[in-house]
Amino acid sequence: MRTRTRAVALTTAAAMLGVLALSAAPASASVSQGYIAGSGDWRDDWGDEGPFSASTRSYSNVVAMWQMILWADGYLTRSEVDCRFGPQTTAATKRWQSARGLVADGVVGARTLSRAATRLGVWESEGWYYYNGATDYFQLGRRTDGRWDMSLGPDQEWKLLSYTSATFAVC
């Protein structure tokens, strides 16, 4: 009887731990949502995004955002921001990843975006976010529904960071 009670107790404890682990897991985004998005604390929004590369989702507003990160860190020129994940963006991505101790595969996935997110800041009083690169910075926004957006300049429209469309004027 004791053995059976102990087995039931262990099984129940294991099941409870499994439920707790699932409920404690952060909400995850999905490329199928179509946008870079998150919920709750903005600091963890980018850690479950991607992947995109020269061969996957290679023409979009998300690519423009990544190119702006590469520009702000000195790996691309401003004129190379064109929403297309081409050879220059691939080479710059590999250099950026290598400099940060990541696998330099040219694919922007969750680990690469998580590392980039460590450079995000917020202007609390204005409600704006920014990427603070090594050589420059740029602004981003986070809408009340958790979707991120960006503008490519002071006189340009803000666009959602979409995986499926490229709607910036330079695209």
Side-chain angles (χ1 to χ4, degrees):
M1 183 78 155
R2 240 179 187 191
T3 305
R4 187 162 55 179
T5 303
R6 188 177 290 165
V8 169
L10 287 172
T11 303
T12 303
M16 294 286 286
L17 285 173
V19 168
L20 288 173
L22 286 175
S23 64
S28 63
S30 168
V31 173
S32 64
Q33 290 175 313
Y35 303 96
I36 289 190
S39 61
D41 192 337
W42 61 272
R43 289 174 195 87
D44 66 2
D45 284 0
W46 290 15
D48 54 4
E49 293 291 342
F52 54 97
S53 67
S55 61
T56 306
R57 290 176 277 288
S58 61
Y59 181 61
S60 69
N61 287 352
V62 171
V63 172
M65 178 209 65
W66 178 247
Q67 289 174 324
M68 287 296 291
I69 289 170
L70 294 173
W71 165 77
D73 281 330
Y75 291 89
L76 287 179
T77 65
R78 191 67 173 78
S79 65
E80 290 173 307
V81 176
D82 63 0
C83 304
R84 297 178 192 284
F85 208 116
Q88 292 90 350
T89 302
T90 299
T93 299
K94 288 178 180 180
R95 289 191 312 274
W96 190 96
Q97 291 169 322
S98 180
R100 285 152 185 82
L102 298 168
V103 174
D105 59 4
V107 175
V108 181
R111 285 192 176 142
T112 299
L113 286 170
S114 288
R115 186 63 53 91
T118 65
R119 303 300 304 224
L120 289 175
V122 62
W123 284 302
E124 296 285 346
S125 62
E126 301 295 322
W128 299 109
Y129 300 86
Y130 60 94
Y131 180 84
N132 187 23
T135 61
D136 219 321
Y137 75 95
F138 66 95
Q139 293 181 350
L140 299 130
R142 186 176 187 248
R143 297 180 180 197
T144 56
D145 65 4
R147 294 183 299 168
W148 287 75
D149 56 11
M150 179 180 83
S151 173
L152 290 178
D155 298 328
Q156 297 207 15
E157 204 174 326
W158 285 76
K159 306 285 186 173
L160 282 169
L161 295 178
S162 168
Y163 284 102
T164 58
S165 61
T167 58
F168 289 110
V170 298
C171 299

